Amino acid sequence: SDLQQAIDTYTSLLGSSIHAKKLADIITQAYTQHQTLADATRYLVTSLFGEYGLVIIDASDAELKKEFVTIALQDLTEQNSFRLISEANKHLNQIDIEAQVHPRELNFFYLLPNFRERLIFKNDRYWVLNSDISFTQQQLQTEIQNHPERFSPNVVMRPLYQELLLPNIAYVGGGAEISYWLQLKSTFEHYKIDFPILVLRNSALLVSEEVQNQLKHLDLPVEELFDDIDAIQKRWLTKHSTHNLSLNTEWLQLVSILENIQHRATKINPTLGPSTAAVQARLHKMIQKLEKKLLRAEKRNRNEVLSKIQSIKDELFPGSILQERVDNFGSFYAKDGPNFIRSLIETFDPLKNKFTILSEQSPT
């Protein structure tokens, strides 16, 4: 009931194109004509993807929740997921995989109409936070068997529930999701639920026709934009400057001279060898500093072009992270409508480990 302002703000950002109005209608219908977020989501994804075929189930259904009762009760009373995931996190941390989720002792919520609070264990009873509801272990067992729909798995236990209901050969997800599922493998094994093969999903960069033209004019391949901005600008300057900004040739000449000096010095006195080596190290640092000054000076000379490169980088990699992590699909849908989704489906090959670059005119 309190989403109207958010809906109005979002739809106003889409613009006034035919596709923008269509998406605005879908969003408005989804979140104003349905009573729950689940119903709204089903309407939204069906409107966008229904023509490709969808299977949507209501996992909160009491009959489905009954399938999970044994596991839910065991985990609530034995706290297995907390123990196993905590151990898994330690092992993953040793190979530099950062934990995406941190388990609680109890990883379930208790649901009533217009009420959802997590369960905690205190003073030998199971309590529902922010309420006076509590259970003994026997009462908990009775409650979960009589009303399984009132117990909702949190982010830690939800994957086990979904794989129990709809077993998958593979789970396709982003990098953070793959790390998150790795945390759960031992918990799956404990409860004897098949753990799916983990497949890294497709990622894409969408490049507008305007940006394509700018890149062509700058003679800047879009692939180079995946690097950090300093490296991009330095590479562009080195390639396009009318001046030679590298002192590498001169440094190699100096190295040859310094090696001759070192050879002569050691003949006179072997202890002079380290002294000439120290001179060479100091000179190398000075040459590197001078080279950086040449680059900075050329940057000032080509400031306008470098600013354009910076603005393109910011547009395609906002905040220096992937476009998909920041930009909402709505801005692309508002421009191309269903063709936007169709182009992704036609272009992506889910089993090829590659990053896809899509131009506004045609997929590449």
Side-chain angles (χ1 to χ4, degrees), residues 80-81 90 233 297 306-307:
N80 294 313
S81 60
K90 292 177 184 177
Q233 292 178 336
L306 296 183
S307 295

Side-chain angles (χ1 to χ4, degrees), residues 76 79 106 119-127 137:
L76 283 165
Q79 302 178 9
L106 304 185
L119 287 158
I120 62 170
F121 186 71
K122 184 174 67 173
N123 300 329
D124 294 325
R125 293 183 70 86
Y126 295 87
W127 290 85
Q137 184 166 321

Side-chain angles (χ1 to χ4, degrees), residues 22 95 124 171 188 200 235 241 301 342:
K22 178 184 176 182
I95 55 173
D124 294 325
Y171 175 83
F188 271 80
L200 186 65
R235 193 159 45 240
S241 177
N301 294 338
R342 193 171 297 117

